[in-house]
Amino acid sequence: MELPKFVLADNTDFPDDIFVIHLDYPRFIINLKDDEVEIIEEIEEEDEKDLETEMERLIEQAGAFYDREMQRYEE
């Protein structure tokens, strides 16, 4: 099965929060309400420095994904 890079999630226990889940490495969840990020897998120590820059880019992509999905939903 081919998975998308990002998916949207919500939860009625957190009615004001909107989550974007990144399914490629590194897997993480970002709460767009406050930009809090939770990485959901082990990160190799040698990858940590490279991931700092990459995470900034991925977080921007997550926000763009959400904006695109909302625009498509409104259409």
Side-chain angles (χ1 to χ4, degrees):
M1 169 181 9
E2 185 176 341
L3 295 175
K5 186 173 186 171
F6 295 104
V7 293
L8 289 176
D10 65 1
N11 186 304
T12 56
D13 291 332
F14 304 92
D16 297 327
D17 297 3
I18 299 170
F19 302 98
V20 175
I21 303 168
H22 181 254
L23 296 173
D24 290 343
Y25 181 82
R27 290 182 181 92
F28 65 87
I29 301 170
I30 181 170
N31 184 343
L32 295 179
K33 181 180 96 175
D34 57 12
D35 291 336
E36 185 176 345
V37 175
E38 180 73 29
I39 297 177
I40 52 178
E41 69 182 318
E42 289 285 324
I43 303 297
E44 299 294 325
E45 196 171 313
E46 62 269 6
D47 291 342
E48 282 186 36
K49 284 190 177 191
D50 293 336
L51 283 179
E52 288 179 26
T53 304
E54 181 70 8
M55 285 300 293
E56 289 179 33
R57 189 176 67 80
L58 290 171
I59 290 168
E60 288 177 17
Q61 287 180 2
F65 165 77
Y66 173 77
D67 292 342
R68 185 193 79 190
E69 290 298 300
M70 290 301 99
Q71 183 178 26
R72 288 179 177 177
Y73 181 75
E74 291 172 0
E75 294 173 354

